[in-house]
Amino acid sequence: DQQVKQNSPSLSVQEGRISILNCDYTNSMFDYFLWYKKYPAEGPTFLISISSIKDKNEDGRFTVFLNKSAKHLSLHIVPSQPGDSAVYFCAASGRGTGNTGKLIFGQGTTLQVKP
Amino acid sequence: GAGVSQSPSNKVTEKGKDVELRCDPISGHTALYWYRQSLGQGLEFLIYFQGNSAPDKSGLPSDRFSAERTGGSVSTLTIQRTQQEDSAVYLCASSSQTQETQYFGPGTRLLVL
């Protein structure tokens, strides 16, 4: 049972344009969401997060949007740069009392930004 | 400062052998997590340590897998009698407190022949 889903295995965009990566979840107990970026042969690198009390969080070129009613979040990268080419993982956790903070990950979306 | 480090970076072993993977978390981080990523899959939670609390072992796939964290710092993940399906990248992450942002090491790529 896949609790966090990234339905697009790959995405290709032109440099300078917007990249939109999508993620859906099924567990309503999740209240904290993160995006990680992963280059080949490296560990995931934290990118941006959002708590369920917010619907938007912005950090430079990266913005994460959360739609709780739809159980959907998205990562917007604008403008996209060739160095953004990587695999992007969506992750979710429950932060309530007693939760360990373990992350449930989606399967990843490979982003290619073409020069 | 130094990030999470893992060793070895690559490990090739024969089916049936035992392997031990090591993780050094970020200094001062009290929470430590192990995940694994099988080919073409997302990351899968294995085990969690926090201070002196009992670990959360709910993600370990079988009793061939075990982990310990000595002195609240370094952790080792042991896989006994390895099987080919154990081939994966094993990733360690640490955070300053439980439920805070997790920072990952580079992983150990395990190949069981």
Side-chain angles (χ1 to χ4, degrees):
Chain A
D1 178 28
Q2 193 76 21
Q3 296 187 70
V4 178
K5 297 180 183 179
Q6 294 175 255
N7 291 318
S8 297
S10 63
L11 174 68
S12 181
V13 300
Q14 207 66 35
E15 180 179 7
R17 305 295 290 268
I18 185 170
S19 295
I20 300 176
L21 297 102
N22 293 302
C23 178
D24 297 291
Y25 63 97
T26 57
N27 191 336
S28 57
M29 298 303 290
F30 290 148
D31 56 7
Y32 187 57
F33 304 89
L34 308 90
W35 285 93
Y36 283 84
K37 178 170 75 171
K38 187 180 184 301
Y39 293 117
E42 295 183 10
T45 302
F46 169 72
L47 206 52
I48 193 169
S49 63
I50 188 167
S51 165
S52 60
I53 62 173
K54 294 186 174 182
D55 55 18
K56 176 183 174 181
N57 188 26
E58 190 173 353
D59 184 2
R61 297 186 297 114
F62 302 91
T63 303
V64 56
F65 295 91
L66 175 63
N67 182 335
K68 284 189 295 182
S69 61
K71 294 191 177 69
H72 177 83
L73 64 155
S74 60
L75 174 67
H76 293 209
I77 306 172
V78 56
S80 300
Q81 299 173 353
D84 296 330
S85 298
V87 179
Y88 288 77
F89 288 99
C90 168
S93 74
R95 302 183 91 182
T97 301
N99 282 320
T100 63
K102 69 183 182 185
L103 298 175
I104 307 300
F105 283 85
Q107 293 172 302
T109 296
T110 301
L111 173 66
Q112 182 184 29
V113 180
K114 297 179 179 178
Chain B
V4 178
S5 61
Q6 293 185 244
S7 61
S9 54
N10 292 281
K11 177 72 176 178
V12 180
T13 190
E14 293 179 348
K15 177 182 173 182
K17 296 286 179 83
D18 298 351
V19 295
E20 196 171 275
L21 313 178
R22 177 188 168 106
C23 170
D24 278 276
I26 293 172
S27 177
H29 279 195
T30 61
L32 186 147
Y33 304 79
W34 282 97
Y35 296 85
R36 74 174 175 181
Q37 184 182 16
S38 302
L39 189 64
Q41 301 296 313
L43 283 73
E44 170 192 17
F45 167 77
L46 296 177
I47 189 168
Y48 153 83
F49 294 94
Q50 167 62 37
N52 295 319
S53 302
D56 175 3
K57 304 179 182 180
S58 61
L60 295 178
S62 79
D63 58 9
R64 295 186 295 104
F65 287 72
S66 63
E68 62 178 21
R69 188 179 185 193
T70 53
S73 181
V74 171
S75 176
T76 54
L77 176 69
T78 301
I79 310 173
Q80 295 178 309
R81 304 180 302 281
T82 53
Q83 304 294 312
Q84 289 181 333
E85 61 263 29
D86 299 335
S87 297
V89 178
Y90 288 81
L91 291 151
C92 175
S94 70
S95 62
S96 58
Q97 299 281 347
T98 297
Q99 302 181 6
E100 294 300 320
T101 300
Q102 295 176 32
Y103 296 90
F104 283 81
T108 293
R109 283 147 195 82
L110 174 66
L111 178 61
V112 182
L113 299 176

